[in-house]
Amino acid sequence: MEDTPNQAVYDVIIAGAGPVGLFLACELALAKCSVLVLEKAAHPHSPLKQLPFGMRGLNTLSIEALDRRGLLPELEVPNRFQQPHHIAPTKPGSKPQAGGHFAGIQFSVDTIDPAQWQYRLPSSTAPQLLAELEELELVLARRAAALGVRIERGQTLTDIQQTAHSVTVQTDEQTFAGHWLVGCDGGRSTVRKAAGFDFAGTEPEFTGYSTQVDLADPEKLKPGRNVTATGMYMQSQPGYLILQDFDGGAFQKAGQPITREHVQALLRRISATDVTISALHLATTWTDRARQATTYRRGRVLLAGDAAHIHAPLGGQGLNLGLGDAMNLGWKLAATIRGHAPAGLLDSYQSERHPVGAQVLDWSRAQVAIMRPTPAARALHAIIRDLMQTRDGATYFAGRSWGIATQYDLGSAHPLVGRSAPSFELEDGTTLGELLRTGRGILLDFVGTTCLKTLASEYSSQLHYVSGRAKEPAGLQAVLIRPDGIVAWASDHAPAMGALQQAAARWFSRHAESRL
Ligand SMILES: Cc1cc2nc3c(=O)[nH]c(=O)nc-3n(C[C@H](O)[C@H](O)[C@H](O)COP(=O)(O)OP(=O)(O)OC[C@H]3O[C@@H](n4cnc5c(N)ncnc54)[C@H](O)[C@@H]3O)c2cc1C
């Protein structure tokens, strides 16, 4: 951190101490940047972040990211909902394991064909797990503080100004200065609006409700997820009721208070019963509005998480998308700040993450299209249900939902390049997750080649050379892995040095550090 005569100047100011802002703060601080996080809420607790409202499904990519920073054990130990690590048929007679859903249609883990995921190794972390949002934020805030991040709560960002060299941020109480600002301030982002980002997309078709209620006559409702002629209702656990009303998003748009009378009338209409809600304890609404910032960067201001993209929470993708943004942006912004970013490194945040965000928005739109209470949508729903029960169908939906199918186009013909690296384990027991915890890139050499070691030494401040036999090398001889765990280069044969040199120079710099 620099000090001007009047004020500290942070490398990065982050607006929002949600999961994305906090994870990004950890990534930047790990790379020795000074970080200030400004958060509107005075304290980190909220019933909407606690179970059952705060239940969030983490996908494979998020779990791998947390593992690669040593954060997983803190979440995993008390996690009661963890899926088995190995995707295999359950024993005959036992209940099929639910793998997730698309438009409310469940796919089963047992139906998946793991052989289609060539690089998913037996040493992989769990493909998905359920976490509590509040707990995730507390774990991330604790790590951020341990890394020296300053988190200021009760500071609502109200405006910003940027020059070619810095950004000034106003809150309702103070002014702060930084070289960069990242808006992680959620779907209604003030940063996005103040910096003039375009937020393009589609308007909602429904209002969704998550409510905690007492029902006088719960037997009048059917169990499970019920799609009816006017919407959907689901009681996922006693008293926790989720509703979907195809009102064009009108209720949420009007900003009306959510009363017991309103929820009861809605539930009666959707369920076609005269069920009675005797008390409404807590309620929140959401919609399927799907918008994405057309660019993720304007000058020295960047966006990540819900500030950059919003969509319906169907099938649980938003948090995973945001954590992926943070993992992708952190090391690139840090390298830019520390003066060792190759040309175009920061631009690759947009070129890699924007298409992934657009895919998730379409994934949610496709679900809405077959959830509409119309005969055409129901007919399509039935076809998707049939397809999802096939082996290829379940594997496709799991690959998309769990993030296993995600691949950045890095211009290589090798099928692994651009994907999250397999969770290799060396014969001495060291895992890739452990090797990546310092936040440096890894050149993993399974056969011990002198020229690879020499090349890695040219990038020694950013790249760690590791030689050792892997328990399951997946047919590979050597792999270059970026700090975010993405494969930048891979070789199944004796390495072609030209391609490796090109890949190393694209992501890392030979120059010694010179802070900008
Ligand atoms: C019902 C529901 C279920 C969901 N389930 C899943 C799931 O299973 N899996 C999944 O991946 N995703 C899920 N999501 C989506 C997920 O919760 C969000 O995508 C995720 O929380 C976004 O994180 P974020 O850090 O970007 O934003 P947020 O969590 O919104 O955090 C933004 C932070 O910024 C702060 N802030 C806002 N304005 C300002 C300001 N002006 N100044 C300072 N601070 C500010 C806020 O107080 C907040 O702390 C679900 C969403 C909902 C609504």
Side-chain angles (χ1 to χ4, degrees):
M1 188 186 359
E2 280 171 34
D3 283 315
T4 62
N6 302 317
Q7 194 174 36
V9 183
Y10 291 86
D11 287 331
V12 185
I13 298 178
I14 295 175
V20 176
L22 290 170
F23 192 41
L24 179 64
C26 292
E27 286 298 287
L28 290 162
L30 182 65
K32 308 271 182 291
C33 295
S34 59
V35 185
L36 168 68
V37 180
L38 298 171
E39 165 57 45
K40 177 167 74 171
H43 61 78
H45 309 289
S46 153
L48 292 176
K49 294 188 207 168
Q50 294 158 6
L51 299 179
F53 285 78
M55 174 94 83
R56 295 291 183 269
L58 296 179
N59 73 8
T60 306
L61 299 181
S62 298
I63 296 166
E64 286 175 353
L66 294 168
D67 180 49
R68 287 162 185 180
R69 297 300 184 250
L71 288 158
L72 195 53
E74 293 183 51
L75 282 175
E76 211 172 8
V77 172
N79 197 298
R80 286 163 285 147
F81 318 101
Q82 195 189 332
Q83 288 277 338
H85 293 210
H86 309 304
I87 301 154
T90 40
K91 294 194 181 84
S94 53
K95 228 176 117 194
Q97 303 168 54
H101 78 90
F102 180 84
I105 313 168
Q106 298 282 343
F107 60 85
S108 157
V109 173
D110 316 69
T111 318
I112 293 167
D113 176 13
Q116 292 187 27
W117 298 327
Q118 186 191 350
Y119 295 109
R120 194 171 159 80
L121 303 177
S123 46
S124 298
T125 46
Q128 58 171 350
L129 58 83
L130 294 173
E132 184 191 52
L133 190 52
E134 185 168 292
E135 189 205 5
L136 175 64
E137 287 186 5
L138 291 175
V139 165
L140 293 171
R142 202 160 52 224
R143 170 63 62 88
L147 288 165
V149 172
R150 183 175 158 203
I151 302 175
E152 289 273 331
R153 297 189 187 272
Q155 293 275 5
T156 303
L157 183 146
T158 52
D159 203 4
I160 64 164
Q161 282 89 40
Q162 63 166 316
T163 67
H165 306 287
S166 65
V167 186
T168 307
V169 168
Q170 274 91 47
T171 68
D172 41 11
E173 298 192 347
Q174 272 172 270
T175 300
F176 299 92
H179 291 297
W180 295 85
L181 168 67
V182 188
C184 299
D185 49 344
R188 298 190 175 138
S189 172
T190 305
V191 172
R192 188 182 68 226
K193 292 170 196 156
F197 285 88
D198 195 13
F199 201 44
T202 48
E203 282 304 291
E205 297 191 36
F206 69 77
T207 300
Y209 298 73
S210 299
T211 64
Q212 200 162 17
V213 297
D214 289 339
L215 293 167
D217 37 15
E219 68 287 351
K220 289 185 175 165
L221 296 180
K222 290 188 196 151
R225 191 178 195 101
N226 299 279
V227 177
T228 71
T230 52
M232 186 282 296
Y233 75 91
M234 180 174 83
Q235 214 181 160
S236 62
Q237 47 185 281
Y240 181 55
L241 200 64
I242 297 173
L243 297 161
Q244 223 175 330
D245 180 25
F246 278 80
D247 65 346
F251 181 81
Q252 217 213 31
K253 212 176 287 170
Q256 292 162 259
I258 314 168
T259 61
R260 185 193 66 83
E261 291 72 20
H262 173 74
V263 179
Q264 177 170 285
L266 193 63
L267 178 61
R268 286 182 172 182
R269 174 161 57 79
I270 292 175
S271 64
T273 66
D274 61 354
V275 64
T276 297
I277 294 178
S278 47
L280 177 71
H281 299 293
L282 195 61
T284 182
T285 59
W286 34 276
T287 74
D288 59 320
R289 179 177 287 108
R291 289 186 176 266
Q292 187 180 24
T294 49
T295 175
Y296 284 6
R297 177 182 169 194
R298 279 176 72 87
R300 292 187 163 262
V301 182
L302 294 127
L303 299 176
D306 279 13
H309 37 68
I310 54 163
H311 56 85
L314 303 168
Q317 303 274 316
L319 171 60
N320 293 304
L321 189 57
L323 293 176
D325 291 346
M327 191 75 170
N328 189 286
L329 175 60
W331 68 282
K332 294 174 180 175
L333 183 55
T336 305
I337 289 165
R338 300 183 68 80
H340 55 63
L345 184 69
L346 193 54
D347 295 339
S348 71
Y349 171 56
Q350 159 88 18
S351 61
E352 291 177 4
R353 294 306 296 173
H354 197 275
V356 176
Q359 276 169 15
V360 170
L361 261 65
D362 277 349
W363 189 250
S364 101
R365 288 185 183 114
Q367 294 184 71
V368 177
I370 64 164
M371 289 175 111
R372 290 178 193 133
T374 64
R378 286 183 177 215
L380 267 172
H381 198 270
I383 292 169
I384 298 286
R385 180 184 298 277
D386 286 349
L387 290 175
M388 221 187 267
Q389 274 147 26
T390 65
R391 213 155 166 69
D392 283 350
T395 311
Y396 171 82
F397 281 96
R400 294 282 308 258
S401 301
W402 294 353
I404 291 175
T406 306
Q407 183 173 25
Y408 302 136
D409 179 5
L410 303 187
S412 165
H414 195 287
L416 189 55
V417 172
R419 291 184 188 273
S420 176
S423 298
F424 295 113
E425 186 177 350
L426 300 182
E427 280 187 350
D428 67 2
T430 313
T431 66
L432 178 66
E434 289 161 358
L435 291 171
L436 279 165
R437 277 174 204 169
T438 59
R440 283 200 294 164
I442 308 276
L443 181 55
L444 205 46
D445 181 359
F446 297 139
V447 287
T449 323
T450 317
C451 51
L452 293 193
K453 191 173 181 183
T454 310
L455 181 129
S457 67
E458 293 172 25
Y459 297 88
S460 58
S461 66
Q462 298 159 64
L463 193 57
H464 181 35
Y465 172 79
V466 179
S467 174
R469 289 163 72 91
K471 287 184 179 167
E472 299 267 351
L476 296 154
Q477 292 216 355
V479 193
L480 177 66
I481 302 166
R482 305 190 320 195
D484 57 355
I486 297 298
V487 175
W489 167 90
S491 183
D492 305 331
H493 316 287
M497 288 307 290
L500 173 59
Q501 273 157 352
Q502 255 184 6
R506 179 170 175 189
W507 302 111
F508 305 102
S509 165
R510 284 194 181 86
H511 303 304
E513 191 165 290
S514 65
R515 289 177 64 94
L516 288 183

